[in-house]
Amino acid sequence: QVRLVESGGGLVQAGGSLRLSCTGSGRTFTSYGMGWFRQAPGKEREFVASVSPIGSMTQYADSVKGGFTVSRDNRKITMYLQMNRLSPGDAAVYFCAQSLYPQIETLPQVDYWGQGTQVTVSS
């Protein structure tokens, strides 16, 4: 059974930083694309960033380019999202996603989801 567990969320002031982690188990981590999505209250879940199976390619939503960095350490079966210069607009529940697609960008591409971690940004 695939299990994805996020951690690292919390409360941060605007302009601050957080690093999210997602640890996977249940199938060969290195075979799958990984990504981050987020969902704010009253809004649809949206793509944030993704990284290919061996970490050679990354993609970002336009809204986070230049501020967020996605990476993965396959030896630790963990993906990361470094979020810098956070703004109140970044506040949401952040979800880890895994896919057979090497690059994830849309919800239908996702095979498995984590339970989510809350990110709150105070102004």
Side-chain angles (χ1 to χ4, degrees), residues 1-76:
Q1 182 178 356
V2 174
R3 188 161 181 248
L4 302 173
V5 179
E6 302 98 333
S7 61
L11 172 64
V12 64
Q13 286 188 330
S17 299
L18 280 176
R19 188 175 83 154
L20 305 183
S21 300
C22 171
T23 300
S25 63
R27 62 181 187 179
T28 306
F29 191 77
T30 53
S31 297
Y32 300 96
M34 298 291 297
W36 291 97
F37 289 74
R38 67 186 180 187
Q39 188 166 18
K43 294 188 177 181
E44 294 184 351
R45 193 170 297 190
E46 63 176 6
F47 168 72
V48 176
S50 66
V51 58
S52 59
I54 61 171
S56 56
M57 293 188 293
T58 56
Q59 285 185 299
Y60 297 92
D62 288 342
S63 59
V64 306
K65 281 180 183 175
F68 290 13
T69 302
V70 62
S71 62
R72 64 193 292 169
D73 185 341
N74 288 338
R75 296 168 300 174
K76 297 181 179 179

Side-chain angles (χ1 to χ4, degrees), residues 3 44 82 106 117:
R3 188 161 181 248
E44 294 184 351
Q82 177 66 43
T106 65
T117 186

Side-chain angles (χ1 to χ4, degrees), residues 45-115:
R45 193 170 297 190
E46 63 176 6
F47 168 72
V48 176
S50 66
V51 58
S52 59
I54 61 171
S56 56
M57 293 188 293
T58 56
Q59 285 185 299
Y60 297 92
D62 288 342
S63 59
V64 306
K65 281 180 183 175
F68 290 13
T69 302
V70 62
S71 62
R72 64 193 292 169
D73 185 341
N74 288 338
R75 296 168 300 174
K76 297 181 179 179
I77 55 171
T78 300
M79 173 182 63
Y80 304 97
L81 184 68
Q82 177 66 43
M83 305 186 293
N84 297 329
R85 301 195 298 273
L86 284 160
S87 70
D90 295 314
V93 177
Y94 282 71
F95 295 91
C96 172
Q98 188 179 78
S99 174
L100 281 172
Y101 289 88
Q103 292 273 269
I104 309 172
E105 220 173 335
T106 65
L107 275 70
Q109 292 177 308
V110 176
D111 298 320
Y112 293 98
W113 294 98
Q115 83 287 351

